[in-house]
Each structure stands twice: as C-alpha cells, then as structure tokens.
Amino acid sequence: MKEKIIEKATDLFMKLGFKSVTMDDIAGEMCISKKTIYKYFCNKELLIEETTEIVHKAIHQSIDTIVEKKHNAIEENFEIRKMFKEMFKAADTSPAYQLKKHYPEIYNTVMSREINECNAVFKQNIEKGIQQGLYRIGVAIDTYVGFYYTLIFSINGNVSSGKESNEKELQALEYHTRAMATPAGIIELEKQLQNYTI
C-alpha cells in the first residue's frame, strides 16, 4: 500500500503541483481513507520527501540507460534533455520551482543530492566529448560543469512555467555546447537542434 500511495502521489504532484495536491486528493484518487495514508506518512512533507527520492532515482536510472547506449557526447546530452521533457510534460509549473517556493528545506535536500550526481554525469560527458573531438582540448572541465549546473538549476528553481523552463533549458544546453564545441561539434550541435522539437 505504501508503494501505491507514493506512486499515486508522485503522479499527482508532477501533474498538479506539490502545493495544490492535498492528502484528501490523494485519498480520493485512490478510493482509500485519509487515515490509511497517515498510517504510512504522518504528514505531507514526509510524503513529498519520499516522492522526490523516487523521482530522483527514476531520473538517474534513465540517464544511466541513455549513457549505456553509447551516443556521441552531444547527442547524449540531447537524449537526456528529451527524457526530462518527456518525464515532466504533464506539469504546468516546474516541480523544482514549486518545491523551492513552498518546501524550501526539501528543495535544498533535493538540490544537494542532484548536484553531486549531475556533476559526475556532466564531467563524464565533457571528457567523452573531448575524446570524440566534439569538444575542445583544454576545456576547464570542472568550471564548465559548474557553469552548466548553475544555469540549469537556476532555470528550474526560478521559472514557474513548465513550457518556459523547457525552452530555457534547451537554450542553456545550446549555450553550454557552443562554448566547448570544436568545428565538428558545432556541426553535430546544429544537427541535434534541427531534430529537436520543443
């Protein structure tokens, strides 16, 4: 039952927002009593913490699957971007924005967890791109990683519209890639941009 509650809550939070979904809403959607939910979660914050952890794991499993497909570095970043767009397509407002606004402590926990994992993914991607001749040799990898996640997390935490957030994240990816790309990398970037639909 606990897993079913988390699954339904995750679905509702992603579609309607962390603030607007109540324990009553979740109980109603599941045709169970609110008391049943409180048996597993003494408050909404605990339920949000568990759902954000589930979403975090799902995101990073998807990223690992994409990385295993051995795309070139630029294509890999676009595949990851598509995965995020698909995962959060039902959300009218950015989930990260809602968390930051209404549940700042949970947001900070989520962000510190994400920064650690994203750092590793971004760093591996840049190293791979250099080896493939798509990114310039001599790129200050740690600095570029820092620039990129600062851009992405700033967009997520400060842009409320899901659609606008998606557009800005694509622009950030283009900006990040152009800053490092070799001439061959620019050709690959243009190809990916042509094939990407917002």
Side-chain angles (χ1 to χ4, degrees):
M1 180 53 80
K2 184 179 180 181
E3 283 72 28
K4 285 180 180 172
I5 293 168
I6 291 170
E7 194 179 316
K8 179 51 74 179
T10 302
D11 184 45
L12 291 172
F13 288 148
M14 291 301 113
K15 279 183 189 162
L16 306 170
F18 292 104
K19 181 73 175 164
S20 58
V21 174
T22 65
M23 297 297 233
D24 281 320
D25 295 331
I26 298 163
E29 281 282 323
M30 295 183 72
C31 299
I32 59 173
S33 72
K34 200 159 66 166
K35 195 175 169 186
T36 305
I37 298 175
Y38 282 114
K39 190 170 129 188
Y40 299 98
F41 303 98
C42 61
N43 59 44
K44 187 176 163 185
E45 284 75 13
L46 271 179
L47 183 53
I48 291 172
E49 280 172 21
E50 293 241 13
T51 59
T52 56
E53 201 165 315
I54 296 291
V55 170
H56 168 81
K57 283 179 183 162
I59 286 169
H60 289 283
Q61 279 171 352
S62 297
I63 289 172
D64 290 344
T65 303
I66 291 166
V67 170
E68 281 164 18
K69 289 183 179 170
K70 308 281 184 218
H71 297 292
N72 71 55
I74 294 172
E75 187 179 13
E76 180 179 279
N77 275 339
F78 274 84
E79 288 301 312
I80 290 170
R81 177 91 288 294
K82 284 177 197 166
M83 177 271 296
F84 274 106
K85 188 181 88 166
E86 193 59 30
M87 192 174 261
F88 298 112
K89 69 180 179 187
D92 287 334
T93 57
S94 160
Y97 175 84
Q98 293 169 33
L99 268 186
K100 185 179 179 184
K101 187 174 178 187
H102 303 293
Y103 303 96
E105 284 179 21
I106 298 172
Y107 173 81
N108 290 334
T109 304
V110 168
M111 285 302 111
S112 61
R113 195 168 54 205
E114 284 302 322
I115 284 167
N116 290 336
E117 297 234 12
C118 288
N119 265 355
V121 172
F122 295 160
K123 191 171 183 176
Q124 284 166 0
N125 179 269
I126 295 173
E127 288 165 352
K128 179 179 178 176
I130 292 168
Q131 287 170 357
Q132 294 171 337
L134 297 171
Y135 301 150
R136 291 176 288 105
I137 293 167
V139 164
I141 295 175
D142 290 336
T143 304
Y144 277 57
V145 165
F147 286 163
Y148 189 49
Y149 78 62
T150 300
L151 264 177
I152 291 296
F153 292 140
S154 173
I155 292 165
N156 274 303
N158 295 301
V159 177
S160 63
S161 158
K163 186 177 184 296
E164 187 186 346
S165 177
N166 188 37
E167 287 169 4
K168 285 191 185 307
E169 283 176 39
L170 178 62
Q171 289 165 355
L173 175 56
E174 181 183 354
Y175 180 79
H176 172 68
T177 307
R178 282 194 193 280
M180 302 183 291
T182 60
I186 295 290
I187 291 167
E188 180 60 29
L189 171 63
E190 295 294 349
K191 183 177 124 188
Q192 293 299 325
L193 287 168
Q194 263 188 331
N195 295 332
Y196 190 90
T197 50
I198 292 179

Coordinates of all heavy atoms in Angstrom, one line a residue, residues 11-94:
D11 N 2.5 10.9 -9.2 CA 1.8 11.2 -10.4 C 1.0 12.6 -10.2 O 1.1 13.5 -11.1 CB 0.8 10.1 -10.7 CG 0.1 10.3 -12.0 OD1 0.7 10.7 -13.0 OD2 -1.2 10.1 -12.0
L12 N 0.3 12.7 -9.1 CA -0.4 13.9 -8.9 C 0.4 15.2 -8.6 O 0.2 16.2 -9.2 CB -1.4 13.7 -7.7 CG -2.5 12.8 -7.9 CD1 -3.3 12.5 -6.5 CD2 -3.5 13.3 -8.9
F13 N 1.5 15.0 -7.9 CA 2.4 16.1 -7.6 C 3.0 16.6 -8.9 O 3.2 17.8 -9.1 CB 3.6 15.7 -6.6 CG 3.1 15.5 -5.2 CD1 3.8 14.6 -4.4 CD2 2.1 16.3 -4.6 CE1 3.4 14.4 -3.1 CE2 1.7 16.1 -3.3 CZ 2.4 15.2 -2.5
M14 N 3.4 15.7 -9.8 CA 4.1 16.1 -11.1 C 3.1 16.8 -12.0 O 3.5 17.7 -12.7 CB 4.7 14.9 -11.8 CG 5.9 14.2 -11.1 SD 7.3 15.4 -10.9 CE 7.3 15.6 -9.1
K15 N 1.8 16.4 -11.9 CA 0.8 17.0 -12.8 C 0.3 18.3 -12.3 O 0.1 19.2 -13.0 CB -0.4 16.0 -13.0 CG -0.1 14.9 -14.0 CD -1.3 14.1 -14.2 CE -1.0 12.8 -15.1 NZ -2.0 11.8 -14.9
L16 N 0.0 18.3 -11.0 CA -0.8 19.4 -10.4 C 0.0 20.3 -9.5 O -0.5 21.4 -9.1 CB -2.0 18.9 -9.7 CG -2.9 17.9 -10.5 CD1 -4.0 17.3 -9.7 CD2 -3.6 18.8 -11.6
G17 N 1.1 19.8 -9.0 CA 2.0 20.6 -8.1 C 2.0 20.2 -6.7 O 1.0 19.6 -6.2
F18 N 3.1 20.4 -6.0 CA 3.2 19.9 -4.6 C 2.3 20.7 -3.7 O 1.8 20.1 -2.7 CB 4.7 20.1 -4.2 CG 5.7 19.2 -4.9 CD1 6.5 19.7 -5.9 CD2 5.8 17.9 -4.6 CE1 7.4 18.9 -6.5 CE2 6.7 17.0 -5.2 CZ 7.5 17.6 -6.2
K19 N 2.1 21.9 -3.9 CA 1.3 22.8 -3.0 C -0.2 22.4 -3.2 O -0.9 22.3 -2.2 CB 1.5 24.2 -3.3 CG 0.8 25.2 -2.4 CD 1.3 25.2 -1.0 CE 0.6 26.3 -0.2 NZ 0.9 26.1 1.2
S20 N -0.7 22.3 -4.4 CA -2.1 22.2 -4.6 C -2.7 20.8 -4.3 O -3.9 20.7 -4.0 CB -2.5 22.6 -6.1 OG -1.8 21.8 -7.0
V21 N -1.9 19.8 -4.4 CA -2.4 18.4 -4.1 C -2.4 18.2 -2.6 O -1.4 18.4 -1.9 CB -1.5 17.4 -4.8 CG1 -2.0 15.9 -4.3 CG2 -1.6 17.5 -6.3
T22 N -3.6 17.8 -2.1 CA -3.8 17.6 -0.6 C -3.8 16.1 -0.4 O -4.0 15.3 -1.3 CB -5.1 18.2 -0.1 OG1 -6.2 17.5 -0.8 CG2 -5.2 19.7 -0.4
M23 N -3.7 15.7 0.9 CA -3.8 14.3 1.3 C -5.2 13.8 0.9 O -5.4 12.7 0.6 CB -3.6 14.2 2.8 CG -2.1 14.5 3.2 SD -0.9 13.5 2.5 CE 0.0 13.0 3.9
D24 N -6.2 14.7 1.1 CA -7.6 14.3 0.7 C -7.7 14.0 -0.8 O -8.3 13.0 -1.2 CB -8.6 15.5 0.9 CG -9.0 15.6 2.4 OD1 -9.2 14.6 3.0 OD2 -9.0 16.8 2.9
D25 N -7.0 14.8 -1.7 CA -6.9 14.5 -3.1 C -6.4 13.1 -3.4 O -6.9 12.3 -4.2 CB -6.1 15.5 -3.9 CG -6.7 16.9 -3.8 OD1 -7.9 17.1 -3.7 OD2 -5.9 17.9 -3.8
I26 N -5.3 12.8 -2.7 CA -4.6 11.5 -2.9 C -5.5 10.4 -2.5 O -5.7 9.4 -3.2 CB -3.2 11.4 -2.2 CG1 -2.3 12.5 -2.8 CG2 -2.6 10.1 -2.3 CD1 -1.1 12.8 -1.9
A27 N -6.1 10.5 -1.3 CA -7.0 9.5 -0.8 C -8.2 9.3 -1.7 O -8.6 8.2 -2.0 CB -7.5 9.9 0.6
G28 N -8.8 10.4 -2.2 CA -9.9 10.4 -3.1 C -9.6 9.7 -4.4 O -10.4 8.8 -4.9
E29 N -8.4 10.0 -5.0 CA -8.0 9.3 -6.2 C -7.8 7.8 -6.1 O -8.0 7.1 -7.0 CB -6.6 10.0 -6.7 CG -6.8 11.3 -7.4 CD -7.2 11.2 -8.8 OE1 -6.8 10.2 -9.5 OE2 -8.0 12.1 -9.2
M30 N -7.4 7.4 -4.9 CA -7.1 6.0 -4.6 C -8.3 5.3 -4.0 O -8.2 4.1 -3.8 CB -5.9 5.9 -3.6 CG -4.6 6.4 -4.2 SD -3.2 6.2 -3.1 CE -3.0 4.4 -3.2
C31 N -9.4 6.0 -3.7 CA -10.6 5.4 -3.1 C -10.2 4.7 -1.7 O -10.6 3.6 -1.4 CB -11.2 4.4 -4.0 SG -11.8 5.2 -5.5
I32 N -9.4 5.4 -1.0 CA -9.0 5.0 0.4 C -9.2 6.1 1.3 O -9.5 7.2 0.9 CB -7.5 4.5 0.5 CG1 -6.5 5.7 0.1 CG2 -7.2 3.3 -0.4 CD1 -5.1 5.4 0.3
S33 N -9.2 5.8 2.6 CA -9.4 6.9 3.6 C -8.1 7.6 3.8 O -7.0 7.1 3.6 CB -9.9 6.3 4.9 OG -8.8 5.6 5.6
K34 N -8.2 8.9 4.2 CA -7.0 9.7 4.5 C -6.2 9.0 5.7 O -5.0 9.1 5.7 CB -7.4 11.1 4.9 CG -6.3 12.1 4.8 CD -6.8 13.6 4.7 CE -7.5 14.0 5.9 NZ -7.7 15.5 6.0
K35 N -7.0 8.4 6.6 CA -6.4 7.7 7.7 C -5.3 6.6 7.3 O -4.3 6.5 7.9 CB -7.5 7.0 8.5 CG -7.1 6.6 9.9 CD -8.3 6.1 10.7 CE -7.9 5.4 11.9 NZ -9.0 4.7 12.6
T36 N -5.7 6.0 6.1 CA -4.8 5.0 5.6 C -3.4 5.6 5.2 O -2.4 5.1 5.4 CB -5.4 4.3 4.4 OG1 -6.7 3.7 4.8 CG2 -4.5 3.1 3.8
I37 N -3.5 6.8 4.6 CA -2.3 7.5 4.1 C -1.5 7.9 5.4 O -0.2 7.7 5.4 CB -2.6 8.7 3.3 CG1 -3.3 8.3 2.0 CG2 -1.3 9.5 3.0 CD1 -3.8 9.5 1.1
Y38 N -2.2 8.4 6.4 CA -1.5 8.8 7.6 C -0.8 7.7 8.4 O 0.0 7.9 9.2 CB -2.4 9.7 8.5 CG -2.5 11.1 8.0 CD1 -3.7 11.6 7.5 CD2 -1.4 11.9 8.0 CE1 -3.9 12.9 7.0 CE2 -1.5 13.3 7.5 CZ -2.8 13.7 7.0 OH -2.9 15.0 6.6
K39 N -1.3 6.5 8.1 CA -0.7 5.3 8.7 C 0.8 5.1 8.3 O 1.6 4.7 9.0 CB -1.5 4.0 8.3 CG -1.2 2.8 9.0 CD -2.2 1.7 8.7 CE -1.6 0.4 8.3 NZ -2.5 -0.5 7.8
Y40 N 1.0 5.5 7.0 CA 2.4 5.4 6.4 C 3.2 6.7 6.4 O 4.4 6.7 6.5 CB 2.3 4.9 5.0 CG 1.6 3.6 4.9 CD1 0.3 3.4 4.5 CD2 2.3 2.4 5.1 CE1 -0.3 2.2 4.5 CE2 1.7 1.1 5.0 CZ 0.4 1.0 4.7 OH -0.2 -0.2 4.6
F41 N 2.4 7.8 6.4 CA 3.1 9.2 6.3 C 2.4 10.1 7.3 O 1.2 10.4 7.1 CB 3.0 9.7 4.9 CG 3.6 8.8 3.8 CD1 2.7 8.0 3.1 CD2 4.9 8.8 3.6 CE1 3.3 7.2 2.1 CE2 5.5 8.0 2.6 CZ 4.6 7.2 1.9
C42 N 3.1 10.5 8.3 CA 2.5 11.3 9.4 C 2.2 12.7 8.9 O 1.4 13.4 9.5 CB 3.3 11.3 10.7 SG 4.9 12.0 10.5
N43 N 2.8 13.2 7.8 CA 2.5 14.5 7.2 C 2.8 14.5 5.7 O 3.5 13.6 5.2 CB 3.2 15.6 8.0 CG 4.7 15.5 8.0 OD1 5.3 15.2 7.0 ND2 5.3 15.7 9.1
K44 N 2.4 15.6 5.1 CA 2.5 15.7 3.6 C 4.0 15.9 3.3 O 4.5 15.4 2.2 CB 1.7 16.9 3.1 CG 1.7 17.1 1.6 CD 0.8 18.2 1.2 CE 1.1 18.7 -0.2 NZ 0.3 19.9 -0.5
E45 N 4.8 16.5 4.1 CA 6.2 16.8 3.9 C 7.0 15.4 3.7 O 7.8 15.3 2.8 CB 6.9 17.6 5.0 CG 6.5 19.1 4.9 CD 5.1 19.5 5.3 OE1 4.4 18.6 5.9 OE2 4.6 20.6 5.0
L46 N 6.6 14.5 4.6 CA 7.3 13.2 4.5 C 7.0 12.5 3.2 O 7.8 11.9 2.6 CB 6.9 12.3 5.7 CG 7.7 12.3 6.9 CD1 7.1 11.4 8.0 CD2 9.1 12.0 6.7
L47 N 5.7 12.6 2.8 CA 5.3 12.0 1.5 C 6.0 12.7 0.3 O 6.5 12.0 -0.6 CB 3.8 12.1 1.3 CG 3.2 11.5 0.1 CD1 3.6 10.1 -0.1 CD2 1.7 11.7 0.1
I48 N 6.2 14.0 0.4 CA 6.9 14.7 -0.7 C 8.4 14.3 -0.7 O 9.0 14.1 -1.8 CB 6.8 16.3 -0.5 CG1 5.4 16.7 -0.8 CG2 7.8 17.0 -1.4 CD1 5.1 18.2 -0.4
E49 N 9.0 14.2 0.5 CA 10.4 13.7 0.5 C 10.6 12.3 -0.1 O 11.5 12.1 -0.9 CB 10.9 13.6 2.0 CG 11.2 14.9 2.6 CD 11.5 14.9 4.1 OE1 11.8 13.8 4.6 OE2 11.4 15.9 4.8
E50 N 9.6 11.4 0.2 CA 9.7 10.1 -0.5 C 9.5 10.2 -2.0 O 10.2 9.5 -2.7 CB 8.7 9.1 0.2 CG 9.0 8.8 1.6 CD 9.3 7.4 1.9 OE1 9.4 6.6 1.0 OE2 9.3 7.0 3.1
T51 N 8.5 11.0 -2.4 CA 8.3 11.0 -3.9 C 9.4 11.7 -4.6 O 9.8 11.2 -5.7 CB 7.0 11.8 -4.2 OG1 7.0 13.1 -3.7 CG2 5.7 11.1 -3.6
T52 N 10.1 12.7 -4.0 CA 11.2 13.3 -4.7 C 12.4 12.3 -4.8 O 13.1 12.4 -5.8 CB 11.7 14.6 -4.0 OG1 12.0 14.4 -2.6 CG2 10.6 15.7 -4.1
E53 N 12.5 11.5 -3.8 CA 13.6 10.5 -3.9 C 13.3 9.5 -5.0 O 14.2 9.1 -5.7 CB 13.7 9.8 -2.5 CG 15.0 9.1 -2.3 CD 15.3 8.7 -0.9 OE1 15.1 9.5 0.0 OE2 15.8 7.6 -0.7
I54 N 12.0 9.1 -5.1 CA 11.7 8.1 -6.2 C 11.9 8.8 -7.6 O 12.5 8.1 -8.5 CB 10.1 7.7 -6.0 CG1 9.9 7.0 -4.7 CG2 9.7 7.0 -7.3 CD1 10.5 5.6 -4.6
V55 N 11.5 10.0 -7.7 CA 11.7 10.7 -9.0 C 13.2 10.8 -9.3 O 13.7 10.6 -10.4 CB 11.1 12.1 -9.0 CG1 11.5 13.0 -10.2 CG2 9.5 12.0 -8.9
H56 N 14.0 11.2 -8.2 CA 15.5 11.3 -8.4 C 16.1 9.9 -8.9 O 16.8 9.9 -9.8 CB 16.1 11.6 -7.0 CG 17.6 11.5 -6.9 ND1 18.4 12.4 -7.4 CD2 18.3 10.5 -6.4 CE1 19.7 12.0 -7.2 NE2 19.6 10.9 -6.6
K57 N 15.6 8.8 -8.3 CA 16.1 7.5 -8.7 C 15.7 7.2 -10.2 O 16.5 6.7 -10.9 CB 15.6 6.4 -7.8 CG 16.4 6.4 -6.5 CD 15.8 5.3 -5.5 CE 16.6 5.4 -4.2 NZ 15.9 4.7 -3.1
A58 N 14.5 7.5 -10.5 CA 14.0 7.3 -11.9 C 14.8 8.1 -12.9 O 15.1 7.6 -14.0 CB 12.5 7.6 -11.9
I59 N 15.0 9.3 -12.6 CA 15.8 10.2 -13.5 C 17.2 9.6 -13.7 O 17.6 9.5 -14.8 CB 16.0 11.6 -12.9 CG1 14.6 12.4 -13.0 CG2 17.1 12.4 -13.5 CD1 14.6 13.7 -12.2
H60 N 17.9 9.2 -12.6 CA 19.3 8.7 -12.8 C 19.3 7.3 -13.4 O 20.3 7.0 -14.1 CB 20.0 8.9 -11.5 CG 20.3 10.4 -11.3 ND1 21.3 11.1 -11.9 CD2 19.6 11.3 -10.5 CE1 21.2 12.3 -11.6 NE2 20.2 12.5 -10.7
Q61 N 18.3 6.5 -13.2 CA 18.2 5.3 -13.9 C 18.1 5.5 -15.4 O 18.7 4.9 -16.3 CB 17.1 4.4 -13.4 CG 17.4 3.7 -12.1 CD 16.2 3.0 -11.5 OE1 15.1 3.2 -12.0 NE2 16.4 2.2 -10.5
S62 N 17.2 6.5 -15.8 CA 17.1 6.8 -17.2 C 18.3 7.4 -17.8 O 18.7 7.1 -18.9 CB 15.9 7.9 -17.4 OG 14.7 7.3 -16.9
I63 N 19.0 8.3 -17.0 CA 20.3 8.8 -17.5 C 21.3 7.7 -17.8 O 22.0 7.7 -18.8 CB 20.9 9.9 -16.6 CG1 20.0 11.2 -16.6 CG2 22.3 10.2 -16.9 CD1 20.3 12.2 -15.6
D64 N 21.4 6.8 -16.8 CA 22.3 5.6 -17.0 C 22.0 4.8 -18.2 O 22.9 4.4 -19.0 CB 22.3 4.7 -15.7 CG 22.9 5.3 -14.5 OD1 23.6 6.4 -14.6 OD2 22.6 4.8 -13.4
T65 N 20.7 4.6 -18.5 CA 20.3 3.9 -19.7 C 20.7 4.6 -20.9 O 21.2 4.0 -21.9 CB 18.8 3.7 -19.7 OG1 18.4 3.0 -18.5 CG2 18.3 2.9 -20.9
I66 N 20.6 5.9 -21.0 CA 20.9 6.7 -22.1 C 22.5 6.7 -22.3 O 22.9 6.4 -23.4 CB 20.5 8.2 -22.0 CG1 18.9 8.3 -22.1 CG2 21.1 9.1 -23.0 CD1 18.3 9.6 -21.6
V67 N 23.2 6.8 -21.3 CA 24.7 6.8 -21.3 C 25.2 5.4 -21.9 O 26.1 5.3 -22.7 CB 25.3 7.1 -20.0 CG1 26.8 6.8 -20.0 CG2 25.1 8.5 -19.6
E68 N 24.5 4.3 -21.5 CA 24.9 3.0 -21.9 C 24.7 2.8 -23.4 O 25.3 1.9 -24.0 CB 24.1 1.9 -21.2 CG 24.6 1.6 -19.8 CD 23.6 0.9 -18.9 OE1 22.6 0.3 -19.4 OE2 23.7 0.9 -17.6
K69 N 23.9 3.6 -24.0 CA 23.6 3.5 -25.5 C 24.7 4.0 -26.3 O 24.7 3.9 -27.6 CB 22.3 4.2 -25.8 CG 21.1 3.4 -25.3 CD 19.8 4.1 -25.7 CE 18.6 3.3 -25.2 NZ 17.3 4.0 -25.3
K70 N 25.8 4.5 -25.7 CA 27.0 5.0 -26.4 C 26.8 6.0 -27.6 O 27.4 5.9 -28.6 CB 27.7 3.7 -27.0 CG 28.0 2.6 -26.0 CD 29.2 3.0 -25.2 CE 29.6 1.8 -24.3 NZ 30.0 2.1 -22.9
H71 N 25.9 6.9 -27.3 CA 25.7 8.1 -28.3 C 27.0 8.9 -28.2 O 27.8 8.8 -27.3 CB 24.5 9.0 -27.8 CG 23.2 8.3 -27.8 ND1 22.5 7.9 -28.9 CD2 22.4 8.0 -26.8 CE1 21.4 7.4 -28.6 NE2 21.2 7.4 -27.3
N72 N 27.2 9.8 -29.2 CA 28.3 10.7 -29.1 C 27.9 11.7 -28.0 O 26.7 11.8 -27.6 CB 28.6 11.4 -30.4 CG 27.6 12.4 -30.9 OD1 27.2 13.3 -30.2 ND2 27.1 12.2 -32.1
A73 N 28.8 12.5 -27.4 CA 28.6 13.3 -26.3 C 27.5 14.3 -26.4 O 26.7 14.6 -25.5 CB 29.9 14.0 -25.9
I74 N 27.4 14.9 -27.6 CA 26.4 16.0 -27.8 C 25.0 15.3 -28.0 O 24.0 15.8 -27.4 CB 26.8 16.8 -29.1 CG1 28.0 17.6 -28.8 CG2 25.6 17.8 -29.5 CD1 28.6 18.4 -29.9
E75 N 24.9 14.2 -28.7 CA 23.7 13.5 -28.9 C 23.2 13.0 -27.5 O 22.0 13.1 -27.2 CB 23.9 12.3 -29.8 CG 22.6 11.6 -30.2 CD 22.8 10.5 -31.2 OE1 23.9 10.1 -31.4 OE2 21.8 10.0 -31.7
E76 N 24.1 12.6 -26.7 CA 23.8 12.1 -25.3 C 23.1 13.2 -24.5 O 22.0 12.9 -23.9 CB 25.0 11.6 -24.6 CG 24.9 11.1 -23.2 CD 26.2 10.6 -22.6 OE1 26.6 9.5 -23.0 OE2 26.8 11.4 -21.9
N77 N 23.6 14.4 -24.6 CA 23.0 15.5 -23.8 C 21.6 15.8 -24.3 O 20.7 16.1 -23.6 CB 23.9 16.7 -23.9 CG 25.0 16.8 -22.9 OD1 24.9 16.1 -21.9 ND2 26.0 17.5 -23.1
F78 N 21.4 15.7 -25.7 CA 20.1 16.0 -26.2 C 19.1 14.8 -25.8 O 17.9 15.1 -25.6 CB 20.2 16.2 -27.7 CG 20.5 17.6 -28.1 CD1 21.8 18.1 -28.1 CD2 19.4 18.5 -28.4 CE1 22.0 19.4 -28.4 CE2 19.7 19.8 -28.7 CZ 21.0 20.3 -28.7
E79 N 19.6 13.6 -25.8 CA 18.7 12.5 -25.4 C 18.3 12.7 -23.9 O 17.2 12.4 -23.5 CB 19.4 11.2 -25.6 CG 19.6 10.7 -27.0 CD 18.3 10.6 -27.8 OE1 17.4 10.0 -27.2 OE2 18.2 11.2 -28.9
I80 N 19.2 13.1 -23.1 CA 18.9 13.4 -21.7 C 17.9 14.5 -21.6 O 16.9 14.4 -20.8 CB 20.2 13.7 -20.8 CG1 21.0 12.4 -20.7 CG2 19.9 14.3 -19.5 CD1 22.4 12.6 -20.2
R81 N 18.1 15.6 -22.4 CA 17.1 16.7 -22.4 C 15.7 16.2 -22.8 O 14.7 16.6 -22.2 CB 17.6 17.7 -23.4 CG 16.8 18.9 -23.6 CD 17.1 20.1 -22.7 NE 16.7 19.9 -21.3 CZ 15.5 19.8 -20.8 NH1 14.4 19.9 -21.6 NH2 15.2 19.8 -19.6
K82 N 15.6 15.3 -23.8 CA 14.4 14.8 -24.3 C 13.7 14.0 -23.1 O 12.5 14.0 -23.0 CB 14.6 13.9 -25.5 CG 14.8 14.6 -26.8 CD 15.0 13.6 -27.9 CE 15.7 14.3 -29.1 NZ 16.2 13.4 -30.1
M83 N 14.5 13.2 -22.4 CA 14.0 12.4 -21.3 C 13.4 13.3 -20.2 O 12.3 13.0 -19.8 CB 15.1 11.5 -20.7 CG 14.8 10.7 -19.5 SD 14.9 11.5 -17.9 CE 16.7 11.8 -17.8
F84 N 14.0 14.4 -19.9 CA 13.5 15.3 -18.9 C 12.2 15.9 -19.4 O 11.2 16.0 -18.7 CB 14.5 16.4 -18.6 CG 15.5 16.1 -17.5 CD1 16.8 15.8 -17.8 CD2 15.1 16.1 -16.2 CE1 17.7 15.5 -16.8 CE2 16.0 15.8 -15.2 CZ 17.3 15.5 -15.5
K85 N 12.2 16.3 -20.7 CA 11.0 16.9 -21.3 C 9.8 15.9 -21.2 O 8.7 16.3 -20.8 CB 11.2 17.3 -22.7 CG 10.1 18.1 -23.4 CD 10.4 18.4 -24.8 CE 10.0 17.3 -25.7 NZ 9.9 17.7 -27.1
E86 N 10.1 14.7 -21.5 CA 9.0 13.6 -21.5 C 8.5 13.4 -20.1 O 7.3 13.2 -19.8 CB 9.6 12.3 -22.2 CG 8.6 11.3 -22.5 CD 7.5 11.7 -23.5 OE1 7.8 12.6 -24.3 OE2 6.4 11.2 -23.4
M87 N 9.5 13.3 -19.2 CA 9.2 12.9 -17.8 C 8.3 14.0 -17.1 O 7.4 13.7 -16.3 CB 10.4 12.8 -17.0 CG 10.3 12.1 -15.6 SD 11.8 11.8 -14.8 CE 12.0 10.1 -15.2
F88 N 8.5 15.3 -17.5 CA 7.8 16.4 -16.8 C 6.8 17.0 -17.7 O 6.3 18.2 -17.5 CB 8.8 17.4 -16.3 CG 9.7 16.8 -15.2 CD1 11.0 16.6 -15.4 CD2 9.1 16.4 -14.0 CE1 11.9 16.1 -14.5 CE2 10.0 15.8 -13.0 CZ 11.3 15.6 -13.3
K89 N 6.4 16.4 -18.8 CA 5.5 17.0 -19.8 C 4.1 17.3 -19.3 O 3.5 18.2 -19.7 CB 5.4 16.2 -21.1 CG 4.6 14.9 -20.9 CD 4.6 14.1 -22.2 CE 3.9 12.8 -22.0 NZ 3.9 11.9 -23.2
A90 N 3.7 16.6 -18.3 CA 2.3 16.8 -17.7 C 2.3 18.0 -16.8 O 1.2 18.5 -16.5 CB 1.8 15.5 -17.0
A91 N 3.4 18.5 -16.3 CA 3.5 19.5 -15.4 C 3.3 20.9 -16.0 O 4.0 21.3 -16.9 CB 4.8 19.5 -14.6
D92 N 2.3 21.7 -15.5 CA 2.1 23.1 -16.0 C 3.2 24.0 -15.4 O 3.6 24.9 -16.0 CB 0.7 23.6 -15.6 CG -0.4 22.9 -16.4 OD1 -0.1 22.5 -17.6 OD2 -1.5 22.8 -16.0
T93 N 3.5 23.7 -14.1 CA 4.5 24.5 -13.5 C 5.7 23.6 -13.1 O 5.5 22.4 -12.9 CB 4.0 25.2 -12.2 OG1 3.5 24.2 -11.3 CG2 2.9 26.2 -12.5
S94 N 6.9 24.2 -13.1 CA 8.1 23.4 -12.9 C 8.1 22.8 -11.5 O 7.9 23.6 -10.5 CB 9.3 24.4 -13.0 OG 10.4 23.9 -12.3

